[in-house]
Amino acid sequence: MSNNLLTDRFAQGEIARGAWLAVPSSISAEIVARTGVDYCCVDMQHGAVGYSDAIPMMQAVRAEGVTPLVRVSANDMAEIGRALDAGAQGVVVPLVSTPEQAAEAAAACRYPPRGVRSFGPIRASVAAGSSEIDALEQVLCAVMVETDEGLANVEAIAATPGVGAIYVGPADLSLALGLPPKYEHDDPTHESSIQRIRKACESAGIVAGIHCADGDMARRRLAQGFRMVTVANDAKSIGAAVAAELAAAVASSD
Amino acid sequence: MSNNLLTDRFAQGEIARGAWLAVPSSISAEIVARTGVDYCCVDMQHGAVGYSDAIPMMQAVRAEGVTPLVRVSANDMAEIGRALDAGAQGVVVPLVSTPEQAAEAAAACRYPPRGVRSFGPIRASVAAGSSEIDALEQVLCAVMVETDEGLANVEAIAATPGVGAIYVGPADLSLALGLPPKYEHDDPTHESSIQRIRKACESAGIVAGIHCADGDMARRRLAQGFRMVTVANDAKSIGAAVAAELAAAVASSD
Amino acid sequence: MSNNLLTDRFAQGEIARGAWLAVPSSISAEIVARTGVDYCCVDMQHGAVGYSDAIPMMQAVRAEGVTPLVRVSANDMAEIGRALDAGAQGVVVPLVSTPEQAAEAAAACRYPPRGVRSFGPIRASVAAGSSEIDALEQVLCAVMVETDEGLANVEAIAATPGVGAIYVGPADLSLALGLPPKYEHDDPTHESSIQRIRKACESAGIVAGIHCADGDMARRRLAQGFRMVTVANDAKSIGAAVAAELAAAVASSD
Amino acid sequence: MSNNLLTDRFAQGEIARGAWLAVPSSISAEIVARTGVDYCCVDMQHGAVGYSDAIPMMQAVRAEGVTPLVRVSANDMAEIGRALDAGAQGVVVPLVSTPEQAAEAAAACRYPPRGVRSFGPIRASVAAGSSEIDALEQVLCAVMVETDEGLANVEAIAATPGVGAIYVGPADLSLALGLPPKYEHDDPTHESSIQRIRKACESAGIVAGIHCADGDMARRRLAQGFRMVTVANDAKSIGAAVAAELAAAVASSD
Amino acid sequence: MSNNLLTDRFAQGEIARGAWLAVPSSISAEIVARTGVDYCCVDMQHGAVGYSDAIPMMQAVRAEGVTPLVRVSANDMAEIGRALDAGAQGVVVPLVSTPEQAAEAAAACRYPPRGVRSFGPIRASVAAGSSEIDALEQVLCAVMVETDEGLANVEAIAATPGVGAIYVGPADLSLALGLPPKYEHDDPTHESSIQRIRKACESAGIVAGIHCADGDMARRRLAQGFRMVTVANDAKSIGAAVAAELAAAVASSD
Amino acid sequence: MSNNLLTDRFAQGEIARGAWLAVPSSISAEIVARTGVDYCCVDMQHGAVGYSDAIPMMQAVRAEGVTPLVRVSANDMAEIGRALDAGAQGVVVPLVSTPEQAAEAAAACRYPPRGVRSFGPIRASVAAGSSEIDALEQVLCAVMVETDEGLANVEAIAATPGVGAIYVGPADLSLALGLPPKYEHDDPTHESSIQRIRKACESAGIVAGIHCADGDMARRRLAQGFRMVTVANDAKSIGAAVAAELAAAVASSD
Ligand SMILES: [Mg+2]
Ligand SMILES: [Mg+2]
Ligand SMILES: [Mg+2]
Ligand SMILES: [Mg+2]
Ligand SMILES: [Mg+2]
Ligand SMILES: [Mg+2]
């Protein structure tokens, strides 16, 4: 057992359901964290979240006993270190296409001699409950396979030491396959690619994760063997929920 | 026709459906405004919104052609002026219990000789599209009747010059009636009080508004003759929507 | 047992040691909360903290299992409500001079029929772990006696229903007594006034609290019977600690 | 000589030219302060500046050796204290209409026994260079006379102990006189009222100040005997300057 | 016709006059946007603007019907993607020295197979009015030629597919040519280099743009055939305008 | 003499004692700067400070006549330029392992032809008191030697033109040497490595600097010949100081 509930879950063979945070507010982060998700991932690649916003969001998430993650904007050692120092208990690294890139992501998450992370755990020690290297290294390195090159290399990526999960980005994967940027397609290539990624993870003994459009899709992905599924996104949720109430208000009144 | 779409709607006998903003972010405000609501009210009484947050939120709301309002924390001339200067095209003033208080709220919205507002329309002139007094005074003064004293005085409050709407706060009204703080009750006193307020507005020729738990309730209130109904709240919406997706993900998977 | 650890402590006859937060950052708030204090009070009277800063600070404090309080800038119903809605589990109200003022402060902390608080517990329900009135009303109303008039009325203030503590402001009390604004004085009037306040609290069965210059003074106040003592202030602490290290670096090196 | 360059100037019979800050940024504040003005007034009545924004602005102003002031939103003791504690070396208090109100404003700026200010000079001691009462009380209390009642009482207001200046708000004064909200009018009533205020200040031995539309008006007001003139406003300046460059770019090119 | 007014203008052979935003405030951004400029470029290379500041600025700019751009700090795919996702309808990429670098900048602006941009248009879809790839790719990729290597390669850079404009940085170009960092020089090398860049754009059928010191210079550049000219900068404008008013106030008064 | 007090000190053979800023607040920055340190370094590698936070912090530091530095997150030209443009009078560049990397860091601090910095000194000209290239280039380029490769190359790094200091990171150096991340070790390798770095600096005629755990260690490092020593860190100081007061309050009272 560590202070990282998410990696503990995965170590015990459990699944995790999470949410995505793109709204730069510790209030919305807290509300989302209180729904009972297992992780909340602050999206610093596509979300509207700057570094100054991300820290209070992670503080709010942690307060609920939920594991804070950050999707970084790039496979960049300094940015990964900044996210972890700020208290993320894992990073989701986009657009990883080769085992070398996967190894770089993994190295950015651990200290020498296992990696290249620089020491200065201002909030990492809060998250880990310790300033010991072992505790601080209890973080999830999830790499995204979502390019054609990444797909071609997925087995080697999955086998890269230090990589704890592959997280599928279905929209970018669609574009990589010449399809519109959707989560699911009738075209069998997209689905078979997703399953190839899942199997690569299973073979390598790491977690297969995937971004889902909604809870229903997440349920179906879990049934397939994915173990880390994002069920909702704050920005989309708020828009959909308010629109639904507005529609209900309009429905029979006009 | 003025630059205030909301007061124009009301002047033409139309209704308005709106949303409540309690999350301090211009991103969530923009998302909510894009759903097609007629107004977005930044809640500075019970919302998690400070003055420094409210202005970008109102900028984002206005960009969508939606009318920005502010619920102030108190019937305070300086705070009402601050909200209007910041670009609110109307204020919702809580806990108004007497016609004298209603007159103070109304006076805070207009310049001498009609009121006591101080001149300095830094963003009010943006909202109004003009720095002329007539344009700047095109704002909605909505007062909340939600105390027992307010209920007793509702006809006089509704008849107070300069008051454009009474906005019912059903939760505070419940407490005033010795009931738990809910939007609706089986107890007929609560509902008859709400209808008394609506009728007072109709008699006085002003708008009857009411805070609703959801779109369905809003639809029912519109059917009763309420003309300004809030169909959703950003904070509740985000929690409910994420929780629903999480439930869907859990449902058949466990 | 409630969700308010501080009022639970006091109900069980225990003491509490806390810290004062004047630096507008959720990082420093978290660091202070992790020291093991029982409460952290965000100072919105004399601290450099605006409303937009205070919420992440209280989120960080709560995450550590420490009770967040707010010192409001005035005995103002709307401001007290804002602080409680934002998640403060108690307020410290400055410059309370009469039992009527004390009753107003107390009323601002409870809902009708016990008080005048308006319902809208956006983060109060997070702090209380419930949206039930009983849980939401589990907050500390601490009033400051620090004027000559307040001192003269201290017994009546202490006996005011709903007041949970009197918190002595020794610097303002000094000024009220014609002394320089210090925490302690050789002049016996200051000290006897402080003891009079303490005794008034004991007679009324409420908590006697006091602002202290440092831990040593806090220890002595506890020994006298004070049960709520503030041992440190973030702003002073940081300056003193850095200055001490600088002095150590200079000492024998020049 | 004190740490307050502005009150020192006035004590030595000198004049002061200042600027108004309505844009919530320490960058624009710094730029304005570097122009060589004598004071910069953060406008918390009509400016787009919240408390969380105001402190870095005042830090930036002070860094340039310019005196930071705050125009508060109301004649409110707590808000005046907050502004001074945050490092303002003076306040401009709007809408003061009676000598009693002027005395309240003055009392809010000084500690007992001279006033009612509460002690807690977190940044006031930085501005004053001391935590001594005498130094902390070296602040300017400027009251605005800009209502008809204020005009009628101006001689008594000017004679109120503790008031250091009357600062004329020409736009509100226009409205009070039944005129459109402009800085100058052909109608002689407005101008004679302004001169009446100036003379009241001179008789009382305090500073006459006035808000001006531009530097040219400021120059003319100085020539009349006004000693505190605001020559520019950040928001208006930026709009006018960019518009002028745009016009120059369009001029002969289309 | 698209939702991008700026690229539409350029497609129709029109010119555009814009402004530069270095002050981190949505208030100043709004003021500048309202002057009637065609674009406002948030300067994240040399401006005082962090990511958390930039989004409200772009929201305010868009609200005025003005095209928001971002100058990124580097030719970095992740940063370009972040700017576009945040709602920029174009990027200005500094220090592009080779056609390969230009191609990288262009690729960062488009999705596979045309580029390498990752999908996640949180505010890009707001700006584009659509989440369709075609609409999202309607963005301007402007590269800056301002190094000696860039100048040597300008014709090839201009011919790079996906590059929509070359934006000249005259100050950096000066340094590259061994001159002080000014917008114009008597030395003919600087001017001839600028004209070489313009001609390269014309030959390649793309837009020639240039940073100008003021509106007069912008007018002259337009007359030469430049089609995208920045006429003013918020920071410089505010300083110059306040200084001018101060000078006017001093002029004849001292 | 220049506007850079720190490089002036070093040019005159003097030492400098500084502090590290990891708390994102201009209030704590100001407090630390007022202790009398020679420099304050905003830590953007391991501190909780985003770009939007850093500027007001540097404004507050400069106001006290203390030299503001930034530790950047990486040896990245754009980030170094951003820090200097924002008013840092020097940068501390982590993880520099080769003379080529050192030369890149140095080049990022100077304009062509000496370097590759891009011109746009929005606050650099404030810090330098001039927009002249010579004044703007008066900045400290301090590189950190803290990897095994860096240690092996330290003499060549120290001899790299444009590098003004090597700043030792003892914790990362520990990890590089297979030791736990502490400031000091019994193991002689760590200490001898530190002395090797110091001697390399002395031979090259540049400043040897080192991060210290406290003032006592700083004093000892100064005695060894280090000339740039960091005596305290805001985050650690605040925690230690509050904990000490809490301990004092507990000590004899329980
Ligand atoms: Mg992706
Ligand atoms: Mg209510
Ligand atoms: Mg006090
Ligand atoms: Mg006025
Ligand atoms: Mg350039
Ligand atoms: Mg290091």
Side-chain angles (χ1 to χ4, degrees), chain B:
Chain B
M1 286 286 289
S2 76
N3 248 50
N4 190 326
L5 297 176
L6 185 65
T7 53
D8 281 1
R9 287 183 80 90
F10 290 150
Q12 292 156 14
E14 293 176 29
I15 63 164
R17 301 176 189 88
W20 221 243
L21 302 182
V23 174
S25 162
S26 65
I27 292 293
S28 48
E30 180 179 71
I31 292 168
V32 173
R34 288 175 72 80
T35 58
V37 289
D38 298 310
Y39 62 85
C40 282
C41 183
V42 179
D43 187 359
M44 301 191 72
Q45 183 191 25
H46 294 303
V49 185
Y51 185 78
S52 302
D53 309 308
I55 293 184
M57 294 172 72
M58 287 197 276
Q59 290 178 306
V61 168
R62 171 178 170 270
E64 302 304 325
V66 174
T67 302
L69 304 178
V70 165
R71 175 158 69 175
V72 289
S73 76
N75 187 359
D76 178 84
M77 172 193 151
E79 187 179 343
I80 291 172
R82 291 273 279 159
L84 297 175
D85 287 346
Q89 294 190 291
V91 288
V92 178
V93 183
L95 301 168
V96 171
S97 294
T98 65
E100 290 73 26
Q101 291 173 2
E104 284 174 16
C109 294
R110 271 89 196 187
Y111 297 101
R114 281 163 304 284
V116 297
R117 185 173 168 192
S118 174
F119 191 80
I122 180 164
R123 287 201 74 253
S125 58
V126 173
S130 160
S131 291
E132 297 296 312
I133 293 292
D134 282 356
L136 294 170
E137 291 192 347
Q138 272 295 342
V139 294
L140 178 69
C141 178
V143 300
M144 297 191 73
V145 167
E146 49 184 348
T147 61
D148 48 5
E149 191 183 7
L151 186 62
N153 291 321
V154 66
E155 288 78 14
I157 291 171
T160 303
V163 170
I166 292 179
Y167 186 80
V168 179
D172 274 332
L173 187 63
S174 299
L175 291 170
L177 298 170
L179 298 165
K182 301 202 170 146
Y183 285 80
E184 290 183 303
H185 294 275
D186 291 336
D187 183 300
T189 321
H190 189 258
E191 186 60 27
S192 64
S193 300
I194 288 175
Q195 299 306 328
R196 176 179 169 186
I197 297 172
R198 180 183 55 74
K199 285 175 197 153
C201 292
E202 289 172 359
S203 298
I206 68 169
V207 171
I210 188 163
H211 209 64
C212 302
D214 53 29
D216 185 65
M217 185 184 295
R219 184 184 46 71
R220 287 184 278 116
R221 292 301 185 194
L222 286 172
Q224 292 169 352
F226 282 94
R227 297 173 54 206
M228 177 186 181
V229 293
T230 298
V231 305
N233 163 318
D234 55 1
K236 271 199 248 174
S237 294
I238 198 170
V242 173
E245 298 304 339
L246 180 59
V250 173
S252 21
S253 74
D254 291 346

Side-chain angles (χ1 to χ4, degrees), chain E residues 45-46 71 94-95 144-147 167-173 211, chain F residues 117-120:
Chain E
Q45 183 191 26
H46 294 304
R71 176 159 70 176
L95 302 167
M144 295 190 74
V145 168
E146 49 184 347
T147 61
Y167 186 79
V168 179
D172 275 332
L173 186 62
H211 209 64
Chain F
R117 183 172 169 195
S118 174
F119 191 81

Side-chain angles (χ1 to χ4, degrees), chain A residues 45-46 71 94-95 144 146 169-173, chain E residues 118-120:
Chain A
Q45 183 192 25
H46 294 304
R71 175 159 68 176
L95 301 168
M144 297 191 72
E146 50 184 347
D172 274 330
L173 187 62
Chain E
S118 173
F119 191 80

Side-chain angles (χ1 to χ4, degrees), chain D residues 54-197:
Chain D
I55 293 184
M57 294 172 73
M58 288 197 277
Q59 290 179 306
V61 168
R62 171 179 170 269
E64 302 304 324
V66 174
T67 302
L69 305 179
V70 165
R71 175 159 69 177
V72 290
S73 75
N75 187 0
D76 178 85
M77 172 193 151
E79 187 180 344
I80 291 171
R82 292 271 281 158
L84 297 175
D85 286 347
Q89 294 189 294
V91 288
V92 178
V93 183
L95 302 167
V96 171
S97 295
T98 65
E100 291 73 26
Q101 292 173 2
E104 285 174 16
C109 293
R110 271 91 197 184
Y111 297 100
R114 282 165 303 284
V116 296
R117 184 172 166 193
S118 174
F119 191 80
I122 180 164
R123 288 201 72 257
S125 58
V126 173
S130 162
S131 292
E132 296 296 312
I133 293 292
D134 281 357
L136 294 170
E137 291 192 346
Q138 272 295 343
V139 294
L140 178 68
C141 178
V143 301
M144 297 191 73
V145 168
E146 49 185 349
T147 60
D148 48 5
E149 191 184 7
L151 186 61
N153 290 322
V154 66
E155 288 78 16
I157 291 170
T160 303
V163 170
I166 293 179
Y167 187 80
V168 180
D172 274 331
L173 186 63
S174 299
L175 290 170
L177 298 170
L179 298 165
K182 301 201 171 149
Y183 286 79
E184 290 183 303
H185 295 275
D186 291 335
D187 182 302
T189 320
H190 188 258
E191 187 58 28
S192 64
S193 300
I194 288 176
Q195 298 307 328
R196 176 179 171 186
I197 299 172

Side-chain angles (χ1 to χ4, degrees), chain E residues 44-47 49 53 172, chain F residues 51-52 77 82 85 118-119 122:
Chain E
M44 300 190 72
Q45 183 191 26
H46 294 304
V49 185
D53 309 308
D172 275 332
Chain F
Y51 185 79
S52 303
M77 173 194 151
R82 291 274 278 159
D85 287 346
S118 174
F119 191 81
I122 180 163

